[in-house]
Amino acid sequence: MSMTATDGIEMPLVVKGPWTHQARMDAIDKECRQSFESYFTKAMKVRNWVPNELPIKEMHELGHKLSPDTVTMIQAFLGVEEYVGDYVQGGLELFHNNRVRRNLQLAWGMEELKHGWAWEMVLLHSEQRTETQLKEYIEEVLSHKWTMQENHPGLYSPLGVLCYAMVQERATYFNYEEMRKRIRQEYGLPEKASVEERKRGHQIGAAGAFQIVGRDEIAHHGIFLEMTRIHMRYLPDETLETLLKVFRGFTMPALDFIPDAAQLEEAMMRTKLHTPRKQVTDVNNPILDALGFDNKRALERGVQEAKKLPPGLGPEFVTLSRSGEFVLSTSA
Ligand SMILES: [Fe+2]
Ligand SMILES: [Fe+2]
């Protein structure tokens, strides 16, 4: 999925003004549907995979090379992914009367369910956890129920969930890419994939699993980013404000719920796989750039400037500059 800053800007307007709130919502719905349809087609035709096809034999052969910190982090990733039912449910309640967002939630959930399954397989076939240990771990994870309302207050709205998910997916992609590289190192392999790995389309053992799951995560980020851009054009005020809220208080979901939260934190500190600094440089900043902002200050300026936009002004007359200023024109 292409993620340049110009994506979406050139998309033709499919709904014309006058720009009442309802007209804006209709335009968002129409453009989001187009985006969802191409996302779904690609998910089904190109990105489809099943966990049982992961390179299990290689996981067996190389599993003993994984470090305790790596295993700790993979288990915590499993824990976070296993709340998939709660994540999907929270969204479905919000999207009851929104077909596009409901369908995206269903398709997204179907893909997400494979991720916990994949980490379970990595831990089991690397012989780092037994079936009984995994069963007990997952039971403990599922003894808690995650809700968006309680864990990310202020973001429980269709727009809040969208902006949060957009950032969360990119952070997850970053973590899984870092883990993929870490596993290659522990396996004793060069950073670059070999010719054979590239030929068959995925990397070796657990690194391959992280690569395949990572492709899902970046595609999820891509569709949520596209839909965020659509909302930015039609509802700049609300969308920029929501984005700023997400950037200011972003935390990964369910981190307080997983039984091994403390061990994960220690492993993260030791390995520096993900740090608050990396969240800014490798997650937040590329997202701001993709949304068309120079930096976080530009987004903050945009939030202030959006409040001053004349209410009836259509998106065809408004351009948002990279410094967060709106440039108005009288002709589309
Ligand atoms: Fe996932
Ligand atoms: Fe995801």
Side-chain angles (χ1 to χ4, degrees), residues 195-215:
V195 178
E196 298 94 276
E197 286 176 303
R198 267 178 286 148
K199 223 190 226 157
R200 73 178 191 179
H202 61 81
Q203 298 188 6
I204 201 162
F210 273 87
Q211 180 190 29
I212 291 166
V213 173
R215 282 180 195 145

Side-chain angles (χ1 to χ4, degrees), residues 81 108 112 115 168-169 172 213 216-218 220-221 224:
E81 292 279 7
W108 171 81
E112 289 293 352
H115 300 171
Q168 177 275 124
E169 292 290 349
T172 307
V213 173
D216 282 357
E217 308 296 18
I218 197 66
H220 297 164
H221 168 68
F224 293 133

